[in-house]
Amino acid sequence: CIEYVLPLVDCAVATADILNSRLDRMANDPSTSALRRDKFEQQEALRRAGLAAASQCLAADADDAGRFWQEAFPVAGSCGDGNGERQVVVKPRDASGGDGIWLCGSEAAVRSAFAREHGRPNVEGGANRELVVMEAFHGEEWVVNSVSLHGVHKFTDVW
């Protein structure tokens, strides 16, 4: 008897959700799998919940990515000041472990990052067909992983 199917890598999240559902096990709703994997959808879920979220766009081509930079920094010559004031992040929507993440301080850097990542296979086995371009946040970064069941939340690691 299979008690639960656990995804041990990020790319297995959706499959584990579907298998647990079909085995009639308590599991995450398969229709919400993207919220645990898709970097763009995670920010949109925050926004729908009324929480602060990064401004962002989903770019299918370099012009989309460049347009986001232009809209974020409309002042002529806004090309970064070296202090992290004007930067965006370009990243695959479904990679993990820092794969394909670029911190860009100019429109040219955004376009270059897009060109380097678009269409490239990522560490999760997917192809980078669309990239997320989002405002960069500066400060200390923490990774907090948790698991929840029956309203009880357990933290597995913090680093």
Side-chain angles (χ1 to χ4, degrees):
C1 175
I2 298 173
E3 197 162 334
Y4 291 100
V5 177
L6 298 175
L8 299 179
V9 293
D10 286 354
C11 63
V13 166
T15 302
D17 288 348
I18 291 167
L19 290 173
N20 280 315
S21 178
R22 289 185 179 169
L23 291 168
D24 201 28
R25 303 294 186 251
M26 182 170 293
N28 292 312
D29 179 351
S31 70
T32 65
S33 296
L35 298 178
R36 290 177 292 286
R37 290 278 304 118
D38 186 310
K39 309 306 184 275
F40 181 82
E41 290 302 328
Q42 290 168 353
Q43 292 298 314
E44 293 305 302
L46 290 171
R47 200 175 327 285
R48 285 190 299 272
L51 299 171
S55 61
Q56 64 177 356
C57 82
L58 194 55
D61 58 47
D63 288 338
D64 291 340
R67 194 169 18 264
F68 181 82
W69 173 270
Q70 292 168 2
E71 291 170 2
F73 307 113
V75 177
S78 292
C79 59
D81 59 9
N83 295 321
E85 292 293 323
R86 295 185 175 125
Q87 293 180 319
V88 298
V89 175
V90 177
K91 61 185 176 181
R93 71 185 297 178
D94 68 347
S96 64
D99 178 43
I101 297 177
W102 297 81
L103 185 60
C104 302
S106 69
E107 182 180 348
V110 169
R111 288 177 176 276
S112 175
F114 186 92
R116 299 234 2 214
E117 293 302 319
H118 189 252
R120 184 183 69 80
N122 63 47
V123 297
E124 294 296 331
N128 297 333
R129 289 184 177 86
E130 296 175 304
L131 298 172
V132 179
V133 184
M134 65 189 306
E135 69 177 302
F137 295 127
H138 298 282
E140 200 169 331
E141 180 177 344
W142 289 83
V143 175
V144 180
N145 289 311
S146 65
V147 63
S148 302
L149 182 63
H150 301 298
V152 176
H153 311 289
K154 301 285 185 179
F155 294 100
T156 59
D157 55 304
V158 176
W159 49 280

